[in-house]
Amino acid sequence: MSMEWEGVIGIAEEQTWGKAFTAATKKIACNTVSARTIPIVPDDTRATKTRMARLAVLTGLTEEFSWEQWVNPLNIGEVLKFLLGSVSDGVVSPYVHTYSMATTSGGLVGFTLFVDRGVAASPTKAIAGAKINQLTLENSAADVLLATPEGVGRTSSSKAAMEITAADCARFATDPFIFSDLAYSQALNGDALAADQTLENLSIVINNNIVTDKRSADGSMFIQEPKAGMLEVTGSYDKEFESYAEYDAFVANQQLDLSFTWTSGTNILQVLIPNARITALPLPDIGGSSDRAMVTIEFRGLYDCTDSYGISAILTNDEEDFDLDSSSSSSSSSSSSSSSSSSSSSSA
């Protein structure tokens, strides 16, 4: 029987997309993780004077991944950089990191993803050339802030087990952001942001719409570097129906400015959506019971010319930057560079 709690994931930014299995620079404790190689084998439907297919021809390989993590101040910085593509780092502690959308379709940051399952001689599956296509942030009432990145990579290989350093242990012990850390503000029709304490559940989805299956005649079975498409920001929040403010904004297609801020001590995560529209009619059914009149308000973000962005994230923590730096996990370099039994897709 495998012991799933012995697993862990690691990430490392790549200097050149998909060309090397860069050693993990940070480990993330995850709730669930999926990393798999999918073979592409076309069906053999040829007429060969038999009722059975004769050949199974491997024509391509696809690397897919997703994981779910508790969001804390020390494990979300790289994820936001990989997702949006651009970050500016403050120079004074505590450090303020501002994330914004890359201005070009090829501007997304590539990374190597390591998935250590804690079993077998070479338990770590390393996916080079990984790019995040979508990130979901969810925070339900009385719960932990969750992040679920999903994406694709170029190629994979089997590596030795990842070692956990003292720095990794300290990060694992960092408290996550929770619902009671959340402060929500909104503004309708261009008014100033105002606090709203009636929000009960929140979901934000940022989708890069990358081309996940770009292939060319390069002599390999692997994808080419994914390019980003139109950035889509959607989401929803639940609240008790108390006024017609959101309904009127929906009918009039008014601007909805949103600010979500989680604060834990000196650590802050803020997500700003300065120009959204309500997309689902936020009115509950009338009933004769004593249930609360709850509504789910769905929205989508638009580019805002005044603010020059459609979504921005600001992270304040004690880490100076998120550049290539293996100092926090030097012990992982040897385990990541040593490879036993590589998978069939190990050659980039």
Side-chain angles (χ1 to χ4, degrees):
M1 181 179 69
S2 65
M3 297 183 180
E4 295 183 12
W5 49 265
E6 289 187 341
V8 70
I9 68 172
I11 54 176
E13 183 177 337
E14 295 175 340
Q15 292 179 321
T16 303
W17 177 83
K19 296 301 182 182
F21 293 94
T22 308
T25 56
K26 179 170 288 187
K27 319 297 192 323
I28 296 177
C30 57
N31 299 334
T32 60
V33 59
S34 172
R36 55 180 183 164
T37 303
I38 303 174
I40 301 174
V41 182
D43 291 336
D44 183 0
T45 58
R46 299 173 301 159
T48 59
K49 201 174 176 59
T50 178
R51 293 172 56 207
M52 294 187 67
R54 290 178 180 265
L55 292 177
V57 182
L58 179 65
T59 60
L61 294 164
T62 298
E63 301 289 346
E64 295 182 348
F65 67 84
S66 67
W67 76 85
E68 181 188 84
Q69 67 182 73
W70 287 6
V71 176
N72 72 47
L74 301 181
N75 70 9
I76 195 62
E78 287 85 354
V79 174
L80 292 172
K81 182 178 181 180
F82 298 154
L83 171 74
L84 294 175
S86 177
V87 59
S88 62
D89 300 311
V91 295
V92 179
S93 180
Y95 301 100
V96 178
H97 315 281
T98 303
Y99 302 86
S100 56
M101 178 182 67
T103 57
T104 63
S105 62
L108 297 182
V109 179
F111 63 101
T112 304
L113 172 66
F114 298 86
V115 181
D116 189 329
R117 296 183 179 276
V119 295
S122 299
T124 302
K125 179 183 180 70
I127 299 178
K131 287 200 175 186
I132 293 178
N133 186 33
Q134 178 174 291
L135 176 69
T136 302
L137 295 172
E138 296 180 289
N139 204 177
S140 300
D143 206 345
V144 172
L145 175 61
L146 299 174
T148 305
E150 304 172 49
V152 295
R154 175 170 167 81
T155 181
S156 66
S157 179
S158 297
K159 302 292 183 182
M162 288 191 291
E163 297 181 12
I164 302 301
T165 67
D168 298 327
C169 289
R171 290 191 180 95
F172 294 162
T174 303
D175 287 341
F177 292 113
I178 60 176
F179 188 77
S180 62
D181 295 331
L182 173 61
Y184 167 59
S185 297
Q186 73 171 36
L188 297 173
N189 202 26
D191 292 338
L193 286 169
D196 184 344
Q197 297 183 340
T198 63
L199 180 145
E200 298 188 22
N201 294 290
L202 171 65
S203 175
I204 303 172
V205 179
I206 304 104
N207 192 334
N208 278 314
N209 280 303
I210 66 176
V211 179
T212 60
D213 197 26
K214 179 183 177 182
R215 299 176 188 270
S216 62
D218 67 345
S220 79
M221 293 188 179
F222 314 124
I223 65 170
Q224 294 299 302
E225 183 172 4
K227 304 299 182 182
M230 180 176 288
L231 183 71
E232 290 184 326
V233 179
T234 59
S236 65
Y237 54 89
D238 294 344
K239 61 192 303 184
E240 194 166 357
F241 180 63
E242 295 179 339
S243 75
Y244 276 101
E246 281 85 0
Y247 174 74
D248 291 340
F250 168 78
V251 173
N253 196 36
Q254 292 178 356
Q255 178 176 336
L256 172 66
D257 300 331
L258 300 168
S259 171
F260 307 98
T261 305
W262 291 265
T263 303
S264 178
T266 59
N267 299 304
I268 303 171
L269 173 62
Q270 184 177 30
V271 177
L272 297 168
I273 304 173
N275 183 20
R277 298 294 186 274
I278 297 174
T279 58
L281 185 66
L283 284 180
D285 294 332
I286 295 176
S289 67
S290 59
D291 293 339
R292 294 190 300 154
M294 294 297 298
V295 296
T296 298
I297 297 177
E298 300 177 11
F299 61 85
R300 67 185 181 101
L302 303 172
Y303 183 80
D304 186 89
C305 292
T306 301
D307 292 303
S308 299
Y309 64 86
I311 185 169
S312 177
I314 302 172
L315 176 65
T316 303
N317 63 12
D318 293 328
E319 291 195 321
E320 185 172 356
D321 59 47
F322 299 105
D323 293 332
L324 289 165
D325 180 8
S326 59
S327 60
S328 64
S329 57
S330 58
S331 64
S332 67
S333 300
S334 59
S335 63
S336 296
S337 60
S338 62
S339 170
S340 61
S341 61
S342 297
S343 72
S344 60
S345 59
S346 62
S347 173

